[in-house]
Amino acid sequence: MKDMRDLDTEAAGILRANDRGGYSVPTAGLYPYQWNWDSAFAAYGYAFLDIDRAWVELETLFAGQWADGMVPHILFHKVDPSYFPGPDIWGGVGPVPSSGISQPPIAATMARLVWELDKEAGQARMAALFPKMVAWHRWFMAARDDGNGAICLTHPWEAGRDNAPDWDGPMKRIEPHGIAPYERRDTGHVDADMRPKKADYDRYLYLVKQGHDCGWDQAHLREVNPFRMADPTMTFSLLRATRDLIWIGEELGTSTEGLSDMVVRMESGAATLWNDTIAAYDVRDTKTGAWANAVSNAAFLCWYAGIDPKSTAHTYARVQSKVRFGVASHDPDSPAYEPKRYWRGPSWAMMNMLIAMGMDEAGLPEGAALRQQTADMIATGGFAEYFDPRDGAPAGGQNFTWTAAVWLGWCSPNVRRGRWAQSH
Ligand code: DGY
């Protein structure tokens, strides 16, 4: 294991190296653009190095907001051939070349953590961001409510959990016709065994083509898109972030009208995601009503969302007993579990942080244990994109922004802490 102070220096160096001037890339080569939730974590990490740079990260992200309020999952500030699919394939319709889908809305939660580190310095910047974040949350409610108050995704990349077994059933049903021949770039950067398979990519591109061809018309997509999953990642992150928005609005002394109604609606939506069979919150296919029957790390965001965890603690104890480093992204007891393949098993430092935040707030001792495991994982495997949860071996991309940010703000025993981390 490495010395903790070396890790602080390394983490700071990774944030600086991934800075492209006003925005961060998740890592050079594999992901050469600004990704939405990666960027929110980058802001959080920067808050411990350079608070002005933290605000700039969020401001650049919201500069890409579409007229309808959507904040895209990728902003293509400067074309880079090392990534596919690029801006021409997506055909985003916002002020900055972009993708056409969103990503888990954690920006308001991270903005709150940044602001809490220096309320006075951040006052005007938070006041300017607040209405943009509200507009984004309203867009989710208008475009992604499943009809019960649970929030849907319309592409596996929207949940960030690209190849999670949760999507296997609905993805198999898609016939990916009409996509142009393409060359993947991701497997030129990372071992193919750690990435999604070709069959997944064909379907990712098919879904992108559907959106591109209709100019990302949400009403049309609601009718034609075969992939519409009510999902714990989206529901829990939006619910949590909306609670944070209410807090922010009250602190700013500005109107929070409509936000409490969103919270109430999502609280009932979240309850509909409880699947008794697996004793966890689960993904439901809104087209068929079928459960994924998959225990994912997103299920453990229930505490973070501040909702009734039901018997999730038992399920958490079961899956945790099978691994040593953090929360496996898919149930280690499942036949679909692959501990090195992206979202089918590996442990993700930033998911561990969100899960533990919720546990800490709920007064559960598991949060502190999870922080220690995540720190040990990074000390063992470095600043990887994700890790094998059995031995902490690094997997995916290296020199990763969000892993460095999580180290700086949450894992490192040396770095000045924000109020939330201090009190837990
Ligand atoms: C990718 O290209 O792997 C990304 O996860 C898409 O967001």
Side-chain angles (χ1 to χ4, degrees), residues 31 35 73 83 157 162 195 201 342:
Y31 301 121
W35 258 261
H73 103 292
Y83 181 79
W157 288 344
D162 300 10
R195 293 288 302 172
Y201 258 79
Y342 211 30

Side-chain angles (χ1 to χ4, degrees), residues 196-269:
K197 297 182 177 167
K198 175 171 169 20
D200 299 313
Y201 258 79
D202 288 351
R203 287 159 179 80
Y204 298 152
L205 290 168
Y206 174 76
L207 294 173
V208 170
K209 182 171 165 24
Q210 270 200 330
H212 173 276
D213 289 354
C214 71
W216 298 101
D217 179 310
Q218 295 300 322
H220 175 76
L221 284 173
R222 195 186 299 257
E223 297 308 315
V224 301
N225 188 336
F227 188 89
R228 204 170 175 89
M229 304 292 133
D231 166 53
T233 336
M234 305 312 270
T235 308
F236 292 159
S237 56
L238 188 66
L239 177 46
R240 164 60 186 242
T242 306
R243 294 190 202 279
D244 288 319
L245 267 189
I246 293 173
W247 181 88
I248 293 167
E250 284 169 357
E251 289 288 302
L252 288 170
T254 193
S255 166
T256 59
E257 204 191 323
L259 296 178
S260 303
D261 291 346
M262 287 187 202
V263 165
V264 170
R265 176 137 185 98
M266 282 187 277
E267 281 175 340
S268 43

Side-chain angles (χ1 to χ4, degrees), residues 30-31 35 37-38 73-74 83-85 90 99 101-103 155-158 160-163 184 186 195-196 201 204 342-343 348 385 402:
L30 181 62
Y31 301 121
W35 258 261
W37 68 334
D38 295 76
H73 103 292
I74 309 175
Y83 181 79
F84 176 86
W90 282 98
S99 69
I101 55 171
S102 201
Q103 236 177 1
H155 190 294
W157 288 344
E158 202 155 47
R161 300 189 296 119
D162 300 10
N163 65 340
R184 281 175 69 172
D186 59 320
R195 293 288 302 172
Y201 258 79
Y204 298 152
Y342 211 30
W343 288 91
W348 294 72
E385 182 181 7
W402 63 20

